Amino acid sequence: MWKWWSLLLLFPTLILSAEPLRAVVSQTNTAPYAIFDQQQRLSGGIAKELLDALSARLNRSVEYLDLPRGRVVEWLVTDKADISCFLNPQWVPASYKLSWTPVLFHTRQYIVRRSEDSPVRSNQDLFRKRIGTTRGFSYPELQPLFETHAAVRDDAESLEKNIQRLEQGRVDLVMTVDLSYGHYQQHFDSSKLAVDPLWAEPAEVYCALNPHNSLLVEQIQKQLGLMQQQGIVDKVLKHWAHTSI
């Protein structure tokens, strides 16, 4: 008579499939990357669509973890989480400690200003400006300005709050990305705003992975690669891309 543990030895995937995929999706991921309901639960957005599809391919349920962005790396390297998306090795500390997926897509950074203000074309146009940024996010192209106090970084928790402050004159400019600003335009009046693309090349966007489970890392990399090849990633992005810029 077979023992239950004998079955587990023969079919170790039974154990694997029972474990949820622990995915970090923070509320600092602006819409449409992540959309939270009134109970602060993840209810939609690019992250949910991609990670739900990934977890189904892995035959796992998914457990969403809402963590401050500054704790993401710690949770991945200490085996408290498995995956966190919409990152780039240049944006996180100690990125060499993590495993990474293939590039999922590219994102363009934008500088939002009041329409009556002068266009922003280079770093020189940012001198002595107070720039609305998102708490926990990294801006490698602007970091030298912040470090030398040539410009002032002023964090808020969302794009909406940053643009409110821009309209009130509390900041001079606001940093955002293409999909986030397109989503903002769908829900708020942007007629008094103008947008300039950041002069840097569009940034590559990846998912960072817990390096401790090499089998799971390999499976995630394979499945996300297939999702990209099969057009699933592009389909999700197009579903949420509403920019009129």
Side-chain angles (χ1 to χ4, degrees):
M1 184 175 183
W2 287 95
K3 302 288 187 179
W4 66 268
W5 47 265
S6 299
L7 289 173
L8 294 182
L9 288 174
L10 287 174
F11 302 104
T13 54
L14 292 175
I15 301 175
L16 187 63
S17 63
E19 298 174 353
L21 181 70
R22 301 167 298 175
V24 177
V25 181
S26 170
Q27 293 193 49
T28 56
N29 287 122
T30 55
Y33 290 100
I35 297 174
F36 288 79
D37 62 21
Q38 293 183 344
Q39 286 72 43
Q40 310 305 312
R41 294 174 301 196
L42 183 68
S43 59
I46 297 170
K48 190 172 192 307
E49 289 193 19
L50 287 179
L51 289 167
D52 281 355
L54 172 64
S55 64
R57 285 170 170 252
L58 296 173
N59 193 29
R60 290 169 174 255
S61 61
V62 57
E63 176 187 356
Y64 287 110
L65 306 171
D66 179 11
L67 299 175
R69 197 173 180 90
R71 297 177 63 189
V72 171
V73 173
E74 172 198 345
W75 276 55
L76 289 171
V77 299
T78 58
D79 198 23
K80 297 178 183 176
D82 298 312
I83 185 171
S84 180
C85 291
F86 314 134
L87 296 172
N88 180 297
Q90 296 182 26
W91 303 343
V92 299
S95 61
Y96 64 91
K97 295 182 179 180
L98 302 170
S99 296
W100 294 87
T101 65
V103 177
L104 294 182
F105 59 94
H106 292 76
T107 184
R108 191 69 185 263
Q109 294 186 77
Y110 286 122
I111 302 171
V112 186
R113 57 180 169 84
R114 294 175 288 268
S115 56
E116 67 267 20
D117 293 342
S118 300
V120 178
R121 304 299 188 202
S122 70
N123 270 5
Q124 291 184 343
D125 296 324
L126 300 178
F127 287 175
R128 295 182 294 278
K129 302 294 186 182
R130 181 172 290 275
I131 303 173
T133 48
T134 301
R135 185 172 297 115
F137 277 62
S138 175
Y139 302 89
E141 297 84 2
L142 306 187
Q143 193 59 31
L145 294 176
F146 298 146
E147 290 176 350
T148 60
H149 306 290
V152 177
R153 174 174 180 157
D154 194 337
D155 284 350
E157 62 186 31
S158 69
L159 175 60
E160 290 82 2
K161 291 191 176 181
N162 264 328
I163 290 182
Q164 286 177 5
R165 298 192 303 155
L166 176 67
E167 294 172 336
Q168 295 165 357
R170 295 166 56 194
V171 296
D172 301 304
L173 303 163
V174 168
M175 296 298 301
T176 187
V177 293
D178 45 13
L179 285 170
S180 294
Y181 190 68
H183 188 270
Y184 179 89
Q185 288 180 305
Q186 291 296 305
H187 295 85
F188 300 94
D189 179 14
S190 61
S191 60
K192 296 181 180 179
L193 303 173
V195 174
D196 300 309
L198 191 68
W199 39 92
E201 290 295 317
E204 296 176 333
V205 178
Y206 306 74
C207 296
L209 304 175
N210 174 344
H212 296 285
N213 188 334
S214 58
L215 177 59
L216 180 58
V217 166
E218 181 179 343
Q219 291 175 332
I220 291 175
Q221 290 172 334
K222 176 182 177 181
Q223 292 303 326
L224 282 176
L226 288 172
M227 288 170 63
Q228 189 178 52
Q229 293 172 20
Q230 295 164 0
I232 294 172
V233 174
D234 283 344
K235 183 178 179 180
V236 171
L237 293 175
K238 287 177 181 177
H239 175 226
W240 292 97
H242 303 294
T243 182
S244 62
I245 298 170

